[in-house]
Amino acid sequence: MKKAPFRLLKPSVQTSSVVFASPHSGRDYPDSFLRRSRLDVQTLRSSEDAFVDMLFGAAPSFGSPLLAATAPRAFIDLNRSADELDPTLIADVRDGTKNPRVTSGLGVIPRVVTNGLAIYPGKITLSEANTRIEKFWRPYHHCLQTILCDARERFGEAILIDCHSMPHAAVKGIGDGAPRPEIVLGDRFGTTARQDLVDRVEAAFSGAGLRVMRNTPFAGAYTAKRYGQPSRGQHVIQVEIDRSLYMNERDVTPNRRLEEFHTLMRGITAKLVLIGRQDAKMSAE
């Protein structure tokens, strides 16, 4: 049976304008991809936002949809533009890009995983790259835009929580000697979401005892840039969670704190959903 390019988990009744998406938690590795890769599955999984879809998995029970990728990030990166093609990896692509993500091997079809390890022994064809984009990238983004438009029609606005995880080492040295952040919120420096919404998202995490920072070192990538249109009532806030809070990064397995953190995230998710509840807004007013 053909695998779906994503999972869309819907609430029985949508009661909130908040939408959740997890573009990097996919873990369905095609056999043909594994055979071609010079890396083993364990190494390929270092690119995943492993368990992030599970951490936000309570969203539908609180009244918000959750869109989760099925294809892994090492296979196709759904948080990149479809035209971010790497000429070093893909045959017949002109080498005219100045995009630093593509140059570093992290385009829409990644050339490397964590620590810069090359995925393939050589190049892949442009036809293969385009097939992945057509079968996975376009359906995912079509679905995401559809559920955002639906939220705007129902509630007058849409608030996308773009869910990610970050390596513990990514925030090393951040904060001038202060404790390193456990959560990084990205709104591309105030351009992808209304300020009061970002404040409320931050309060949901900090109120649960987590240290929060904004836009450093992650301000938001393609999804935030494309869909964050506050003037049209469409907002995007990227959330990065320190992986060491719930998993062993080296072997991509849950650590002893996963169950406790999962419970904490359930409460945070409920508060995030509440941000988009019309009845909650009216009672606050």
Side-chain angles (χ1 to χ4, degrees), residues 48-256:
E48 278 182 34
D49 286 345
F51 311 113
V52 165
D53 53 343
M54 182 195 73
L55 293 177
F56 290 93
S61 67
F62 295 127
S64 286
L66 168 63
L67 175 64
T70 55
R73 184 184 186 184
F75 181 72
I76 187 163
D77 193 333
L78 301 173
N79 198 26
R80 296 289 182 266
S81 171
D83 62 6
E84 292 186 76
L85 298 172
D86 185 349
T88 307
L89 172 65
I90 305 168
D92 300 321
V93 172
R94 290 187 177 182
D95 191 1
T97 180
K98 301 296 183 182
N99 185 316
R101 293 184 296 275
V102 174
T103 301
S104 64
L106 297 173
V108 65
I109 309 294
R111 173 167 40 91
V112 300
V113 295
T114 302
N115 299 322
L117 297 173
I119 297 172
Y120 305 89
K123 287 194 173 187
I124 68 172
T125 66
L126 180 58
S127 175
E128 181 177 348
N130 286 334
T131 296
R132 294 187 198 180
I133 290 168
E134 291 300 321
K135 288 186 175 181
F136 295 94
W137 191 96
R138 295 199 191 283
Y140 176 89
H141 282 281
H142 175 75
C143 182
L144 180 55
Q145 185 62 79
T146 298
I147 59 178
L148 290 174
C149 287
D150 183 61
R152 283 169 49 201
E153 290 177 6
R154 292 190 191 193
F155 305 101
E157 68 178 1
I159 305 164
L160 173 61
I161 305 298
D162 197 38
C163 309
H164 297 263
S165 67
M166 58 187 178
H168 184 64
V171 288
K172 184 178 181 180
I174 300 293
D176 296 326
R180 65 178 69 185
E182 297 165 310
I183 305 293
V184 175
L185 303 181
D187 64 354
R188 295 183 68 88
F189 301 95
T191 63
T192 67
R194 206 171 60 235
Q195 184 69 44
D196 65 293
L197 297 177
V198 185
D199 291 343
R200 292 186 67 185
V201 171
E202 179 172 345
F205 285 98
S206 62
L210 296 168
R211 297 186 297 272
V212 183
M213 184 172 285
R214 298 189 190 183
N215 293 309
T216 303
F218 304 105
Y222 173 75
T223 298
K225 184 177 181 180
R226 173 175 175 178
Y227 297 101
Q229 302 171 24
S231 63
R232 298 183 59 209
Q234 188 165 285
H235 310 270
V236 180
I237 301 159
Q238 179 177 283
V239 175
E240 297 274 0
I241 305 173
D242 184 345
R243 294 173 184 169
S244 70
L245 293 171
Y246 57 90
M247 65 177 276
N248 302 305
E249 293 185 68
R250 178 171 293 182
D251 54 8
V252 197
T253 58
N255 65 23
R256 58 183 176 80

Side-chain angles (χ1 to χ4, degrees), residues 256-273:
R256 58 183 176 80
R257 294 176 289 179
L258 176 63
E259 185 175 348
E260 179 183 356
F261 190 72
H262 189 199
T263 300
L264 184 73
M265 283 299 302
R266 181 179 176 87
I268 291 171
T269 300
K271 291 180 180 178
L272 295 176
V273 172

Side-chain angles (χ1 to χ4, degrees), residues 27-65:
R27 47 193 170 271
D28 291 344
Y29 288 83
D31 290 338
S32 58
F33 171 65
L34 294 176
R35 286 193 298 269
R36 292 193 60 185
S37 175
R38 59 191 299 271
L39 304 176
D40 59 29
V41 175
Q42 193 72 21
T43 306
L44 289 169
R45 293 198 68 196
S46 65
S47 285
E48 278 182 34
D49 286 345
F51 311 113
V52 165
D53 53 343
M54 182 195 73
L55 293 177
F56 290 93
S61 67
F62 295 127
S64 286

